[in-house]
Amino acid sequence: MASSTTPPPPSDPEKRDHQPHSIEPTTTISNTNTNHDPEKPSAIPFEGEPKSKNTTSNPSSKQESELEQPPSPDNDPDAKKTTWNSTPTSIFRFLLICYSFILMGMSDGAIGALIPYLETYYSISYTIVSLVFLSPFIGYLLAALFNNLIHHHFGQRGVAILGPLCRLIGFIPMACHPPYPALPVVMLFTGFGNGIEDSAWNAWVGNMRKANELLGIIHGCYGLGATIGPLIATSMVTKGGLEWYTFYYVLVGVNGAELLLMTAAFWTATKEVYRAGIAESESEGDAANVDADEEGGGGNEGGGNKRTTTRTVMRDPIPWIVAMFLLGYVGAEVSLGGWIVTFMLKVRHAEPFNAGLTVTFFWLGLTVGRVLLGFITGRIGEKLAISGYLLLCIALQLLYWLVPSFVASAIFVSFLGFFLGPLFPAAIVAATKLLPPGYHVSAIGFAAAFGGGGAAIFPFAVGAIAQKKGVTVLQPIVLAILVFILLMWWLLPGGLKPGGLERARENKEKVGDEVRKGLRWLKAKAKRS
């Protein structure tokens, strides 16, 4: 993804052609005006606009005081962001992104349901079959590295074409059921296609107004796909008497339709539009303020020609913490979704169809949680909400592990999915609030793609260890992952109060500040007692 020190270009590139005549000197712009066109990049730089520009009269001093205030209902920086429904083109693209996430969920969710049948069909062990989880990790890593370049050289059109095309390159051979060694190779292309779409669309939607709700919706669509994918695959095999690979006929058809629709929707989102949007935002002065905030001043140093690469963004620890959080979260999610069927068959001794329904309940809980809890998370604060959800997940995971009942396990794993649901969207929102606007595209793209690698590493680890210790290792591994990501979440600055993430960036709080304060408090408490 082409990076710079500015926010991503407007979601509707056609409107860019109408912007230049409306750009006026900053002395005529009022930050309190919420009727400006949300598609225009000029709406974004207000957050870091130099105070020296506001020098005209009392209204300008009022703007200065508003800029100095922390976010509040009356001074909400979210109101200056673009909306998903501002133009018909934006609506069409957002709906297609929802469709894309449904297909990603169908692909990822069905693998777990098909694992027992892959083992039988190819007569292979847990370790060997787990390679279908590991090989996409390489694709996700490549997506994290090349997402910037794809945006810079091909624009969003490049992502819209390459994403579904790479998945087709993976699904068509799967439908032809080649010898098993070919499966991990072709799944690499699936991982790359998922990776570039996952990271690009998360970055785009994460910069919109009401990002918690919108990200909850698109990730809810992923959960919907992961719900219906295993259900369709299991029904085709257990009820229809079909071979496992016939499910990939379905995936080839729906991904072919996505390729055509995405190409049409994003055809005008070229590299020229992408670069022009960045240059126009830079001309508003946002680049200079980001440099000053992050490097202690020094001006624009290269102006609009300076590009912020992924390597530059990675010098900030926050993208790494968010990436590690997402790596663990996706690992826990896909490990559960991938091995629930096997666990229920081998340990809870469920019937094959009932075991398949259990993974459907998990993904259904995930879907409902993402949509419903997305409206709660932002209102009580991301740091507090996700901390509470994770503590509940840890408790549910213990119950799922220790209560030896199929019915109880199905209930616990459904609620586990429900509270896991909002974690990914909340991490993306936290990154947008803690990082300068110019870092969002690169940082979110990297974190989402790198985090997606958890869908490969941890399910493979479960399979490799299960080969010797049995599939019961799923439970302690997932429990350890949940504790790990809770610690990663607490390392982010901002405290647990609403608005803490916004104040953390304004107050230049450091990573781990809250943890260090807590440790000092505990040490002082121990000394007094």
Short mmCIF file of all heavy atoms in Angstrom, two decimals, residues 408-449:
data_model
loop_
_atom_site.label_atom_id
_atom_site.label_comp_id
_atom_site.label_asym_id
_atom_site.label_seq_id
_atom_site.Cartn_x
_atom_site.Cartn_y
_atom_site.Cartn_z
N ALA A 408 -23.07 -28.86 27.10
CA ALA A 408 -22.44 -27.72 27.78
C ALA A 408 -21.32 -27.14 26.93
O ALA A 408 -21.17 -25.92 26.84
CB ALA A 408 -21.91 -28.16 29.14
N SER A 409 -20.52 -27.99 26.31
CA SER A 409 -19.42 -27.52 25.46
C SER A 409 -19.95 -26.70 24.29
O SER A 409 -19.37 -25.66 23.93
CB SER A 409 -18.61 -28.70 24.94
OG SER A 409 -17.96 -29.38 26.01
N ALA A 410 -21.05 -27.15 23.69
CA ALA A 410 -21.63 -26.41 22.57
C ALA A 410 -22.11 -25.03 23.02
O ALA A 410 -21.94 -24.04 22.30
CB ALA A 410 -22.79 -27.20 21.97
N ILE A 411 -22.69 -24.95 24.23
CA ILE A 411 -23.16 -23.67 24.75
C ILE A 411 -21.98 -22.75 25.06
O ILE A 411 -21.96 -21.57 24.68
CB ILE A 411 -24.02 -23.89 26.01
CG1 ILE A 411 -25.30 -24.63 25.64
CG2 ILE A 411 -24.33 -22.55 26.68
CD1 ILE A 411 -26.14 -25.06 26.83
N PHE A 412 -20.97 -23.29 25.75
CA PHE A 412 -19.81 -22.47 26.12
C PHE A 412 -19.09 -21.95 24.89
O PHE A 412 -18.66 -20.78 24.85
CB PHE A 412 -18.86 -23.29 26.99
CG PHE A 412 -19.41 -23.68 28.33
CD1 PHE A 412 -19.12 -24.90 28.90
CD2 PHE A 412 -20.25 -22.81 29.02
CE1 PHE A 412 -19.63 -25.27 30.14
CE2 PHE A 412 -20.78 -23.17 30.26
CZ PHE A 412 -20.47 -24.40 30.82
N VAL A 413 -18.93 -22.79 23.88
CA VAL A 413 -18.17 -22.36 22.71
C VAL A 413 -18.96 -21.33 21.90
O VAL A 413 -18.37 -20.47 21.24
CB VAL A 413 -17.77 -23.58 21.85
CG1 VAL A 413 -18.88 -24.02 20.91
CG2 VAL A 413 -16.50 -23.29 21.05
N SER A 414 -20.30 -21.38 21.97
CA SER A 414 -21.11 -20.37 21.29
C SER A 414 -20.93 -19.01 21.94
O SER A 414 -20.74 -17.99 21.25
CB SER A 414 -22.59 -20.77 21.32
OG SER A 414 -22.79 -22.00 20.67
N PHE A 415 -20.98 -18.96 23.28
CA PHE A 415 -20.76 -17.70 23.98
C PHE A 415 -19.31 -17.24 23.87
O PHE A 415 -19.03 -16.03 23.86
CB PHE A 415 -21.17 -17.83 25.45
CG PHE A 415 -22.65 -17.70 25.67
CD1 PHE A 415 -23.44 -18.83 25.86
CD2 PHE A 415 -23.26 -16.46 25.65
CE1 PHE A 415 -24.81 -18.71 26.05
CE2 PHE A 415 -24.63 -16.33 25.83
CZ PHE A 415 -25.40 -17.47 26.03
N LEU A 416 -18.40 -18.18 23.77
CA LEU A 416 -17.00 -17.82 23.56
C LEU A 416 -16.85 -17.08 22.23
O LEU A 416 -16.16 -16.05 22.15
CB LEU A 416 -16.15 -19.10 23.56
CG LEU A 416 -14.63 -18.95 23.46
CD1 LEU A 416 -14.08 -18.06 24.56
CD2 LEU A 416 -13.98 -20.32 23.51
N GLY A 417 -17.49 -17.57 21.19
CA GLY A 417 -17.48 -16.87 19.91
C GLY A 417 -18.11 -15.50 20.01
O GLY A 417 -17.62 -14.53 19.43
N PHE A 418 -19.21 -15.39 20.79
CA PHE A 418 -19.91 -14.10 20.93
C PHE A 418 -18.99 -13.02 21.50
O PHE A 418 -18.95 -11.90 20.99
CB PHE A 418 -21.12 -14.31 21.85
CG PHE A 418 -21.93 -13.06 22.08
CD1 PHE A 418 -22.82 -12.61 21.13
CD2 PHE A 418 -21.79 -12.35 23.26
CE1 PHE A 418 -23.57 -11.46 21.35
CE2 PHE A 418 -22.53 -11.20 23.49
CZ PHE A 418 -23.43 -10.76 22.53
N PHE A 419 -18.24 -13.35 22.56
CA PHE A 419 -17.39 -12.34 23.19
C PHE A 419 -16.05 -12.17 22.48
O PHE A 419 -15.38 -11.15 22.66
CB PHE A 419 -17.18 -12.68 24.66
CG PHE A 419 -18.41 -12.47 25.50
CD1 PHE A 419 -19.12 -13.55 26.00
CD2 PHE A 419 -18.88 -11.19 25.75
CE1 PHE A 419 -20.27 -13.36 26.76
CE2 PHE A 419 -20.03 -10.99 26.51
CZ PHE A 419 -20.73 -12.08 27.01
N LEU A 420 -15.66 -13.15 21.67
CA LEU A 420 -14.47 -12.97 20.83
C LEU A 420 -14.75 -12.03 19.65
O LEU A 420 -13.84 -11.37 19.14
CB LEU A 420 -13.98 -14.32 20.29
CG LEU A 420 -13.14 -15.21 21.20
CD1 LEU A 420 -12.91 -16.56 20.52
CD2 LEU A 420 -11.80 -14.55 21.51
N GLY A 421 -16.01 -11.98 19.24
CA GLY A 421 -16.38 -11.27 18.02
C GLY A 421 -15.84 -9.87 17.85
O GLY A 421 -15.24 -9.54 16.82
N PRO A 422 -16.03 -8.96 18.83
CA PRO A 422 -15.65 -7.56 18.61
C PRO A 422 -14.16 -7.27 18.77
O PRO A 422 -13.75 -6.11 18.62
CB PRO A 422 -16.45 -6.81 19.68
CG PRO A 422 -16.63 -7.81 20.77
CD PRO A 422 -16.74 -9.15 20.10
N LEU A 423 -13.33 -8.25 19.07
CA LEU A 423 -11.92 -7.98 19.35
C LEU A 423 -11.18 -7.41 18.14
O LEU A 423 -10.42 -6.44 18.26
CB LEU A 423 -11.22 -9.25 19.85
CG LEU A 423 -11.16 -9.42 21.38
CD1 LEU A 423 -12.58 -9.49 21.97
CD2 LEU A 423 -10.40 -10.69 21.75
N PHE A 424 -11.36 -8.02 16.98
CA PHE A 424 -10.63 -7.55 15.79
C PHE A 424 -11.04 -6.12 15.42
O PHE A 424 -10.16 -5.26 15.24
CB PHE A 424 -10.87 -8.52 14.63
CG PHE A 424 -9.89 -8.38 13.49
CD1 PHE A 424 -8.99 -9.39 13.21
CD2 PHE A 424 -9.86 -7.24 12.69
CE1 PHE A 424 -8.08 -9.27 12.16
CE2 PHE A 424 -8.97 -7.10 11.66
CZ PHE A 424 -8.08 -8.13 11.38
N PRO A 425 -12.34 -5.82 15.27
CA PRO A 425 -12.71 -4.44 14.95
C PRO A 425 -12.20 -3.42 15.96
O PRO A 425 -11.75 -2.34 15.59
CB PRO A 425 -14.25 -4.48 14.92
CG PRO A 425 -14.58 -5.90 14.64
CD PRO A 425 -13.51 -6.70 15.31
N ALA A 426 -12.26 -3.76 17.26
CA ALA A 426 -11.82 -2.81 18.29
C ALA A 426 -10.32 -2.54 18.19
O ALA A 426 -9.87 -1.41 18.44
CB ALA A 426 -12.15 -3.35 19.68
N ALA A 427 -9.53 -3.55 17.81
CA ALA A 427 -8.09 -3.34 17.65
C ALA A 427 -7.81 -2.38 16.50
O ALA A 427 -6.90 -1.53 16.60
CB ALA A 427 -7.39 -4.68 17.41
N ILE A 428 -8.56 -2.49 15.42
CA ILE A 428 -8.38 -1.57 14.28
C ILE A 428 -8.74 -0.15 14.70
O ILE A 428 -8.02 0.81 14.38
CB ILE A 428 -9.25 -2.02 13.09
CG1 ILE A 428 -8.85 -3.43 12.63
CG2 ILE A 428 -9.12 -1.02 11.94
CD1 ILE A 428 -7.44 -3.57 12.16
N VAL A 429 -9.84 0.01 15.43
CA VAL A 429 -10.25 1.35 15.89
C VAL A 429 -9.20 1.92 16.84
O VAL A 429 -8.86 3.12 16.78
CB VAL A 429 -11.62 1.28 16.57
CG1 VAL A 429 -11.98 2.61 17.21
CG2 VAL A 429 -12.69 0.90 15.55
N ALA A 430 -8.67 1.09 17.74
CA ALA A 430 -7.64 1.56 18.67
C ALA A 430 -6.42 2.07 17.90
O ALA A 430 -5.83 3.10 18.27
CB ALA A 430 -7.24 0.44 19.62
N ALA A 431 -6.04 1.37 16.84
CA ALA A 431 -4.88 1.82 16.05
C ALA A 431 -5.15 3.17 15.40
O ALA A 431 -4.27 4.04 15.37
CB ALA A 431 -4.55 0.78 14.98
N THR A 432 -6.36 3.39 14.89
CA THR A 432 -6.66 4.67 14.25
C THR A 432 -6.67 5.81 15.27
O THR A 432 -6.34 6.95 14.92
CB THR A 432 -8.04 4.63 13.55
OG1 THR A 432 -9.07 4.41 14.51
CG2 THR A 432 -8.07 3.54 12.50
N LYS A 433 -7.00 5.51 16.52
CA LYS A 433 -7.05 6.57 17.53
C LYS A 433 -5.68 6.86 18.13
O LYS A 433 -5.41 8.00 18.53
CB LYS A 433 -8.02 6.18 18.65
CG LYS A 433 -9.48 6.18 18.21
CD LYS A 433 -10.42 5.86 19.36
CE LYS A 433 -11.88 5.97 18.91
NZ LYS A 433 -12.83 5.69 19.99
N LEU A 434 -4.82 5.87 18.18
CA LEU A 434 -3.51 6.05 18.81
C LEU A 434 -2.44 6.53 17.83
O LEU A 434 -1.42 7.07 18.27
CB LEU A 434 -3.05 4.74 19.44
CG LEU A 434 -3.82 4.28 20.69
CD1 LEU A 434 -3.41 2.87 21.08
CD2 LEU A 434 -3.59 5.24 21.85
N LEU A 435 -2.65 6.35 16.53
CA LEU A 435 -1.63 6.70 15.54
C LEU A 435 -2.04 7.94 14.75
O LEU A 435 -3.22 8.22 14.58
CB LEU A 435 -1.41 5.52 14.58
CG LEU A 435 -0.79 4.26 15.18
CD1 LEU A 435 -0.90 3.10 14.21
CD2 LEU A 435 0.67 4.50 15.57
N PRO A 436 -1.07 8.68 14.23
CA PRO A 436 -1.38 9.83 13.38
C PRO A 436 -2.14 9.38 12.14
O PRO A 436 -1.95 8.25 11.66
CB PRO A 436 0.00 10.39 13.00
CG PRO A 436 0.94 9.82 14.00
CD PRO A 436 0.38 8.51 14.43
N PRO A 437 -2.98 10.24 11.57
CA PRO A 437 -3.76 9.84 10.40
C PRO A 437 -2.92 9.31 9.25
O PRO A 437 -3.33 8.39 8.55
CB PRO A 437 -4.47 11.14 10.01
CG PRO A 437 -4.59 11.90 11.28
CD PRO A 437 -3.34 11.58 12.05
N GLY A 438 -1.73 9.89 9.06
CA GLY A 438 -0.88 9.46 7.96
C GLY A 438 -0.31 8.07 8.11
O GLY A 438 0.19 7.50 7.15
N TYR A 439 -0.39 7.51 9.31
CA TYR A 439 0.13 6.16 9.56
C TYR A 439 -0.93 5.08 9.39
O TYR A 439 -0.62 3.89 9.38
CB TYR A 439 0.69 6.06 10.99
CG TYR A 439 2.07 6.64 11.18
CD1 TYR A 439 2.48 7.77 10.49
CD2 TYR A 439 2.96 6.06 12.08
CE1 TYR A 439 3.74 8.31 10.68
CE2 TYR A 439 4.23 6.59 12.28
CZ TYR A 439 4.61 7.72 11.58
OH TYR A 439 5.85 8.24 11.77
N HIS A 440 -2.21 5.48 9.28
CA HIS A 440 -3.29 4.51 9.35
C HIS A 440 -3.22 3.45 8.27
O HIS A 440 -3.37 2.26 8.53
CB HIS A 440 -4.64 5.23 9.28
CG HIS A 440 -4.94 6.05 10.49
ND1 HIS A 440 -6.06 6.85 10.59
CD2 HIS A 440 -4.26 6.23 11.65
CE1 HIS A 440 -6.06 7.47 11.76
NE2 HIS A 440 -4.97 7.11 12.42
N VAL A 441 -3.00 3.87 7.02
CA VAL A 441 -3.03 2.93 5.91
C VAL A 441 -1.96 1.85 6.09
O VAL A 441 -2.23 0.65 6.01
CB VAL A 441 -2.84 3.67 4.57
CG1 VAL A 441 -2.68 2.68 3.43
CG2 VAL A 441 -4.02 4.59 4.31
N SER A 442 -0.73 2.29 6.34
CA SER A 442 0.37 1.33 6.47
C SER A 442 0.24 0.48 7.73
O SER A 442 0.40 -0.74 7.70
CB SER A 442 1.71 2.07 6.49
OG SER A 442 1.92 2.75 5.28
N ALA A 443 -0.05 1.14 8.86
CA ALA A 443 -0.09 0.42 10.14
C ALA A 443 -1.23 -0.59 10.19
O ALA A 443 -1.03 -1.74 10.60
CB ALA A 443 -0.21 1.41 11.29
N ILE A 444 -2.42 -0.17 9.78
CA ILE A 444 -3.56 -1.08 9.82
C ILE A 444 -3.39 -2.19 8.81
O ILE A 444 -3.70 -3.35 9.08
CB ILE A 444 -4.87 -0.30 9.59
CG1 ILE A 444 -5.11 0.66 10.76
CG2 ILE A 444 -6.04 -1.25 9.44
CD1 ILE A 444 -6.26 1.61 10.53
N GLY A 445 -2.88 -1.84 7.63
CA GLY A 445 -2.62 -2.88 6.63
C GLY A 445 -1.64 -3.91 7.12
O GLY A 445 -1.86 -5.12 6.97
N PHE A 446 -0.55 -3.45 7.74
CA PHE A 446 0.45 -4.39 8.26
C PHE A 446 -0.13 -5.23 9.38
O PHE A 446 0.02 -6.46 9.41
CB PHE A 446 1.67 -3.62 8.76
CG PHE A 446 2.66 -4.49 9.50
CD1 PHE A 446 3.57 -5.26 8.81
CD2 PHE A 446 2.66 -4.54 10.89
CE1 PHE A 446 4.48 -6.07 9.48
CE2 PHE A 446 3.56 -5.36 11.57
CZ PHE A 446 4.47 -6.11 10.85
N ALA A 447 -0.80 -4.59 10.34
CA ALA A 447 -1.31 -5.32 11.50
C ALA A 447 -2.36 -6.35 11.10
O ALA A 447 -2.36 -7.48 11.59
CB ALA A 447 -1.90 -4.33 12.52
N ALA A 448 -3.25 -5.97 10.17
CA ALA A 448 -4.29 -6.90 9.75
C ALA A 448 -3.71 -8.08 9.00
O ALA A 448 -4.11 -9.23 9.22
CB ALA A 448 -5.32 -6.17 8.88
N ALA A 449 -2.76 -7.81 8.10
CA ALA A 449 -2.16 -8.90 7.33
C ALA A 449 -1.28 -9.79 8.22
O ALA A 449 -1.34 -11.02 8.14
CB ALA A 449 -1.35 -8.35 6.17
#
